[in-house]
């Protein structure tokens, strides 16, 4: 009986090993914290292993155009629609995952900035010594959104004189280093920097929300595993994770 039990156990382990897959996930930086929270349990339950590559939305699209292989991708909705149009991802697999707004970071010792109205936010920006945000030329979703917000508020020229453009890592790192006294970026990325204070979202009247969507590569060789991962990322039970990380359900 013991031998039979051992044999059955070895057989089950062999089947699990044979069905386990190595999955490559490409994700934008704003959604990466959610991925980090979901993956440990997914890997434990499924037996699959996931390699995560994180970059800006624009950089991910450039990588795909260069032929980089992947199994699952998390990107902005517009970006995924464009990839579906050219057959890079399966259109049927496109699944909304979360949305996130632009937030404000300040030093831990700084007073709470006034974000309660557009005019108060405008004065906060005009009174800042240096303002950090992601360089739009990197393909950063938040960087491009923030430039548009400044234009809407009519302060582009004033802000240009005090801008600190960040190309790598969270924009809030510039605040942590003392290179800026305020940073604007998607809330989920600000919350990755514990040495700054997340002061809140910018006013609703000028807010720009970005919806992140997942999809499966049209060329994946790991269809079942990729489908399982996308299902885990879109599980409604992730709402608490999204909230903790500064995102919300789509």
């Amino acid at each position: 009986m013991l031998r039979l039990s051992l044999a059955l156990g070895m057989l089950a382990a062999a089947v699990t090993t044979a069905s386990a897959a190595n999955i490559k996930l490409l994700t934008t930086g704003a959604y990466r914290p959610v991925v980090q929270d979901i993956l440990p349990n997914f890997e434990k339950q499924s037996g699959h292993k996931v390699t995560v590559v994180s970059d800006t939305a624009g950089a991910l699209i450039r990588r795909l155009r260069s032929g980089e292989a992947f199994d699952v991708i998390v990107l902005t909705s517009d970006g995924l629609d464009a990839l579906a149009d050219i057959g890079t991802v399966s259109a049927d697999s496109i699944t909304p995952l979360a949305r996130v707004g632009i937030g404000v970071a300040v030093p831990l010792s700084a007073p709470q900035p006034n974000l309660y109205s557009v005019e108060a936010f405008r004065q906060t920006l005009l009174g800042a010594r240096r303002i950090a945000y992601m360089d739009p030329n990197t393909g950063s979703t938040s960087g491009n959104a923030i430039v548009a917000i400044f234009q809407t508020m009519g302060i582009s020229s004033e802000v240009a004189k005090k801008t600190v453009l960040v190309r790598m890592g969270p924009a809030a790192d510039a605040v942590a280093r003392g290179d800026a006294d305020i940073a604007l970026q998607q809330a989920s990325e600000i919350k990755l920097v514990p040495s700054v204070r997340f002061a809140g979202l910018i006013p609703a009247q000028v807010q720009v929300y970005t919806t992140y969507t997942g999809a499966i590569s049209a060329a994946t060789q790991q269809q079942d595993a990729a489908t399982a991962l996308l299902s885990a990322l879109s599980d409604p039970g992730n709402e608490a994770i999204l909230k903790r990380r500064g995102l919300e359900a789509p």
Side-chain angles (χ1 to χ4, degrees), residues 164-223:
V164 176
L165 293 179
V166 178
R167 298 187 61 85
M168 297 288 292
D173 280 343
V175 172
R177 293 192 301 267
D179 295 337
D181 50 3
I182 190 170
L184 305 176
Q185 194 169 18
Q186 288 157 332
S188 57
E189 296 195 74
I190 291 175
K191 289 193 171 187
L192 290 174
V193 185
S195 52
V196 302
R197 181 155 58 88
F198 174 64
L201 296 175
I202 69 173
Q205 296 89 333
V206 291
Q207 180 62 265
V208 177
Y209 282 96
T210 301
T211 297
Y212 288 100
T213 308
I216 296 172
S217 168
T220 183
Q221 300 298 306
Q222 309 286 353
Q223 184 68 46

Side-chain angles (χ1 to χ4, degrees), residues 23-28 31 35 50-65 68-77 79-81 83-84 88-90 93-97 212-218 220 226 229-230 233:
I23 313 167
K24 184 175 180 179
L25 170 65
L26 304 182
T27 181
T28 57
Y31 192 76
V35 169
V50 182
T51 298
V52 179
V53 176
S54 177
D55 214 326
T56 66
L60 288 178
I61 291 174
R62 288 193 293 271
R63 294 170 76 137
L64 296 183
R65 287 174 177 167
E68 182 165 343
F70 69 100
D71 297 297
V72 178
I73 186 169
V74 177
L75 198 61
T76 58
S77 296
L80 271 191
D81 288 343
L83 293 179
T88 303
V89 300
S90 170
S93 71
I94 293 178
T95 306
L97 302 176
Y212 288 100
T213 308
I216 296 172
S217 168
T220 183
L229 175 57
L230 186 56
L233 296 177

Side-chain angles (χ1 to χ4, degrees), residues 119-134:
E119 180 56 29
F121 178 49
R122 183 176 184 274
Q123 293 303 321
T124 294
L125 294 175
L126 293 177
R129 176 181 57 89
R130 301 284 279 171
I131 302 169
Y133 58 94
M134 297 301 295

